[in-house]
Amino acid sequence: MMGAEFVALSLPPLLIGVFAAVACALPGNFLLLRRQALIGDAISHVVLPGIVLAFLATGVVAAWPMMLGAGIAALAAVVLIEVIRRLGRIEPGAAMGVVFTSMFAGGVLLLEQSDTSSVHLDVQHALYGSLESLIWLDGFGWASLLDWEALQGLPPELTRMALTLAFVAVFTAVLWRPLKLSTFDEGFAQTLGLRTNLLGLALVVVAAIAAVAAFDAVGSIIVIAMFICPPAAARLMTNRLERQIGWSVLFATLSAVLGYVLAGYGPLWLGFENAVSAAGMIATVSGLILLVTALAGPCRTRAGAPTET
Amino acid sequence: MHLELATQDGHRKDVGKDTRSPLEIRGLTVSYGEKPALFSVDATFEPGAMTAIIGPNGAGKSTLLKAALGIVKPVSGRIRSYGKSLSAQRHRIAYVPQRASVDWDFPTRVLDVVLMGLYRQLGLLGRVRPKHLEIAMSCLARVGMEGFADRQIGQLSGGQQQRVFLARALAQGADLYLLDEPFAGVDAATEKAIIAVLKALKEQGKTVIAVHHDLATVPDYFDRVFIINTSRVAEGPVAEAFVPEYLQEAYGGRLATAQMGAAG
């Protein structure tokens, strides 16, 4: 299992899964505390019309135009959510609900009405992604990792996801202090001269970038799960944001690795013949981790809810 | 420091004292919907004084503070602080928001909240050094909370939370302190501790402006009042402005006799 076959068939999807999970979990921590965790759900739905439009415009199923279309759709949705929230003076959740359902419905309509049936562009693909197919044909054992030519044969999703994760990590590290401050006490942050609106928008845009990159590589189920489950489980493990981030990265990694292995080998161990979807299993594992922490995590109690005045 | 070139009142000679108004508001109108929350409010707050902003519920007291701090965008109006624009004076202004305005389940410690007051010193990536911790701990000590530095903020009582907020404002090392209902829902010991800290600030020549609810304590705690009910009703020293005539005008029939007694 750990030999050449592993390097070629399992290592790339494993890494892509881990990178995608962590890239979504990092901004998820802040979105969760800002009561905006559903934005991951929203983004993974609204990218559909963007992808379809990108296909209609270019006529090919290629990664970059589709990611561009998805990115534009995500940004349009983020702006639309903000506009509706401010003009209508309503809960962010309500604004998200309105925007993502209508944009997703629009995407489905577009998909149905346009001639996309001939290509591999369907809802199932969007949901589960195709983690298992992201293999490395040039990988002949661990030595290939040092072979430049072989490395060039790595699935492009791996490079994209690694770059996305690096970007998300740098964003979180550099803007750590303002993000924490404005998430805890927006009014106070403003009196320090922080542009909290801009900061909030930047956070959502970064989340959108992570979501679109992950969506392209692993499908929307992982995106939706990773924005919420690892941060929520991490919050139940600690009362300090610094440690919560650490726990969420650990849980995201654990979900990706465990989920991938269980999907590939679990059914065999149980005597079934076929493997199950890795994306589905990764999301399931993250949900199980959340369940365990919700039942036994050390920081489950809402200690001191503020008294109404 | 901030020396005035031409001081109007000759007796005020203390070097380093800024005699310009720490907060000057002109023609401030704020609207959340169709109805204005504040209408054409003028206010000039005295340096080195403790001023209570009072008025009935929904009179725009908190809105006045928030607009003065740039948190709420006004329809019209001008804010000046020590003769300059707000953005030029942010380092001289500390703010204590309403306690209920934040989620106290936020995963952080008391010490971290106080360190937030040092943001302007620390910057984006500056390391928290021993001197910063020292400042934060001394601010906690001033509000009697030095033993709680490592507590998660959700484990504090309402009064303790309010003290932590005050400690964070102290850490800002400002000249002007704006507090939104600092005594709302706190225990008697905390109220005493807070007012002692505020009076000490005044002794150091700092300016304190607080939205205040309890009319009975106004004469004990403050030397000036600013009475508001969407528009300005009165402003001045407690002896002159905190009188039944103005209170009746601001509160109308809602003013209880007991409070009137305390006021008159």
Side-chain angles (χ1 to χ4, degrees), chain B residues 116-136:
Chain B
M116 288 177 186
L118 294 171
Y119 177 76
R120 293 190 72 99
Q121 284 188 41
L122 288 166
L124 213 52
L125 296 168
R127 262 190 48 213
V128 177
R129 298 180 185 283
K131 67 167 182 184
H132 298 121
L133 291 176
E134 235 168 73
I135 296 174

Side-chain angles (χ1 to χ4, degrees), chain A residues 5 10 16 22 29 43 66 81 87 89 111 116 126 142 148 161 197-198 202 209 212 218 231 237 243 277 285:
Chain A
E5 195 187 319
S10 292
I16 292 171
V22 175
N29 282 289
I43 291 166
M66 291 208 170
I81 288 170
L87 289 184
R89 292 173 200 285
L111 198 58
T116 49
W142 293 100
W148 178 244
M161 215 52 244
N197 283 337
L198 213 61
I209 290 170
V212 168
V218 298
M237 294 302 292
R243 291 180 192 163
S277 150
V285 170

Side-chain angles (χ1 to χ4, degrees), chain A residues 33 35 89 173-175 177-178 180-181 183-185 187-188 190-194 235 238-241 244 302-304 306-307 309, chain B residues 32 69 71 90 95 97 99 102-109 112 116 119-120 122-126 128 152-154 161 165 168 172:
Chain A
L33 292 169
R35 313 249 186 280
R89 292 173 200 285
V174 171
L175 290 179
R177 215 166 259 160
K180 182 179 174 184
L181 233 167
T183 301
F184 172 59
D185 193 342
F188 182 77
Q190 283 171 336
T191 66
L192 296 173
L194 288 174
R235 176 65 190 89
T238 173
N239 274 328
R240 289 183 65 181
L241 187 55
Q244 181 186 321
R302 281 178 62 92
T307 47
T309 49
Chain B
Y32 290 124
L69 286 157
I71 298 173
R90 287 205 182 280
Y95 173 50
R99 190 164 50 82
V102 305
D103 177 8
W104 290 90
D105 269 322
F106 191 86
T108 197
R109 292 176 308 167
D112 296 320
M116 288 177 186
Y119 177 76
R120 293 190 72 99
L122 288 166
L124 213 52
L125 296 168
V128 177
Q152 203 264 326
I153 54 171
Q161 292 172 349
F165 259 14
R168 180 178 68 177
Q172 291 182 268

